[in-house]
Amino acid sequence: GHLLSGDGRSVRPTYETESDRAEENQIAWAVCEAWNLTFHTMPKHSPYDRLFLKDNRVVCAVEIKRRFVRSDRYPDIILSKAKVDTILKECLKPALFIVSFDDCMCFTRLHNRWSVRIEGRKDRNDPKDKEPCYCIPTKDFKEVTSEQ
């Protein structure tokens, strides 16, 4: 069944594990090392995963995903439209989407001009996993290097 919040509203289950958050920290650390930044981990239900900092000042919000495929496996990567729209609305700084693939780490700046499809996971038996998603072409991603 559904979980209920304190005011009786239905709440979706949280699938993110401590292992997921630890992996996101490793990805954030690697990118920050390359870009000479530090990061701040956001609370569990924040719309974005990390804030990247330069001299303790926020330079961008960051959403991080790990995809267990090569970067050229699919023509695009999906990300929840609601999540992206919330990040763009709430964040006064640029927002990046960083994806760690099996062969490289890549990033793109988030915006709301990508095409939208109904997409989502099928492996958790949760009908709410299917939702409007931005389809972000893999060609829009740049590999993380120390030159950025």
Side-chain angles (χ1 to χ4, degrees), residues 73-89:
R73 175 68 174 89
Y74 297 107
D76 51 35
I77 300 295
I78 62 168
L79 189 58
S80 163
K81 180 181 184 306
K83 176 183 269 290
V84 172
D85 292 348
T86 300
I87 291 170
L88 294 174
K89 187 174 114 190

Side-chain angles (χ1 to χ4, degrees), residues 7 14 19 25 39 55 80-81 97 100 125 132:
D7 61 8
T14 300
S19 174
N25 273 337
F39 68 89
D55 300 323
S80 163
K81 180 181 184 306
F97 180 31
S100 178
N125 201 24

Side-chain angles (χ1 to χ4, degrees), residues 2 12-16 78-81 117-133:
H2 289 280
R12 295 215 43 218
T14 300
Y15 295 108
E16 183 179 60
I78 62 168
L79 189 58
S80 163
K81 180 181 184 306
R117 299 192 302 249
I118 303 296
E119 289 285 348
R121 295 181 64 153
K122 301 169 184 82
D123 61 339
R124 297 191 290 218
N125 201 24
D126 182 346
K128 291 187 178 173
D129 272 349
K130 290 232 182 237
E131 64 179 314
C133 291

